[in-house]
Amino acid sequence: MGKREPVIATLGSHSALQILKGAKDENFPTLVIAPEDKKDFYKRFRFIDEIISIPNYLDFPKIEKLLFKKNVILIPHGSFVAYLGLEENKKMRIPYFGNREVLDYESDRQKQREWLIKSDINVPLQFRGVADINYPVIVKSYGAAGGKGYFYAKNKRDFQKKIGALKDRNFIIQEYVIGVTLYIHYFYSLLTNKLEILSMDRRYETNVDSLGRIPLTHQEQLNIEPSYVVVGNSPLVLRESLLPEAFAMGERVVEKSKQLIGGKGLYGPFCLETVITPDQKFYVIEISCRIVAGTNLFMDGSPYSSLIYNEPMSTGRRIAREIKLALKENKLEQVLN
Ligand code: ATP
């Protein structure tokens, strides 16, 4: 990376607005790479200095040279792997905020599960086959995004009735945890060696979150199946008595990543997707090792970020703050990959 001031850039989708607004708040030049038909949309925002349009998201790697010339630091988000694929992402050499090696763990459900278990985190039981099912379960096909294609089965018979087309695909059968979903947004700094909780959200999923609006007697007649497609996110604050464990879980996951995953382990933004049961236990259903879309609720900070910062601090801005701090301390190499 040259001596020139770096440009903070990302792909136009997911949490790009938050990332670039945060970068501008920290006085960085900003750049978005977006498909042609989204150019006008991104033009609306004054905090975006430059737009590079590409025919399709998949064309992104083709402009790598240009991005090098512009002294770009790339901030990944949820659309990177979704649009470009895992291998393409790992191949790119543009300075990137985060550890690319974490992607192997994030994208492999089995590896992810081992990491969580080794971090002393509760995870739902997993069943090898239909014969083992002795609880209500949720069945998840591989590569499903946003909860699409998941289904609930109350027992073996129900499972066999519903598995149908999914039979030929890879799927996992997991204990269905009944509780409140809570997604915790963390930021771990390699520079300060501290873990911060910046915000929290819960997802609103249709129709599982709206079934309670129909009385049980009517539900029985309608024969509705719950589905888990995300339509939005809403804020939630956690009982204070549960906060120490929320911090501790994040710290354990970071600590374990240093042994399990190559390089610097997990750093920057990540999210534990939890379900909290009536006995006040967190079950983690997934870890996302990057900024998650639920942080978009908190462009101006959250109750949790205000406990740490006396200014509005989104996850996007926190990323830019880390880069700024690294530049000041001459440690940019340490936070980039
Ligand atoms: P991906 O990130 O791989 O695209 P996803 O984030 O869409 O997957 P999950 O977070 O695994 O999918 O699950 C989607 C939703 O399904 C959750 O928000 C939750 O409502 C429900 N769910 C998932 N696993 C469980 C579980 N074990 N028990 C109860 N509900 C679950």
Side-chain angles (χ1 to χ4, degrees), residues 109 124 138 140 143-148 150 174-178 181 183 203 205 208-209 228 230 273 275 285-286 288 290:
R109 286 196 198 274
I138 181 163
K140 306 178 176 184
K148 248 186 217 156
Y150 288 11
Q174 210 171 66
E175 165 196 10
Y176 190 90
V177 183
I178 298 176
T181 54
Y183 289 55
R203 285 184 175 181
E205 294 165 351
V208 70
D209 287 317
Y228 300 88
V230 185
E273 309 185 355
V275 181
I285 53 178
E286 190 162 299
S288 289
R290 34 118 188 131

Side-chain angles (χ1 to χ4, degrees), residues 206-218:
T206 189
N207 58 14
V208 70
D209 287 317
S210 45
L211 280 177
R213 299 177 61 177
I214 304 170
L216 186 61
T217 45
H218 291 247

Side-chain angles (χ1 to χ4, degrees), residues 5-9 20 23-24 26-31 47 49-50:
E5 185 180 32
V7 173
I8 302 291
L20 298 175
K24 186 50 75 188
E26 295 296 310
N27 299 314
F28 283 103
T30 57
L31 164 69
F47 54 82
D49 298 319
E50 192 183 352

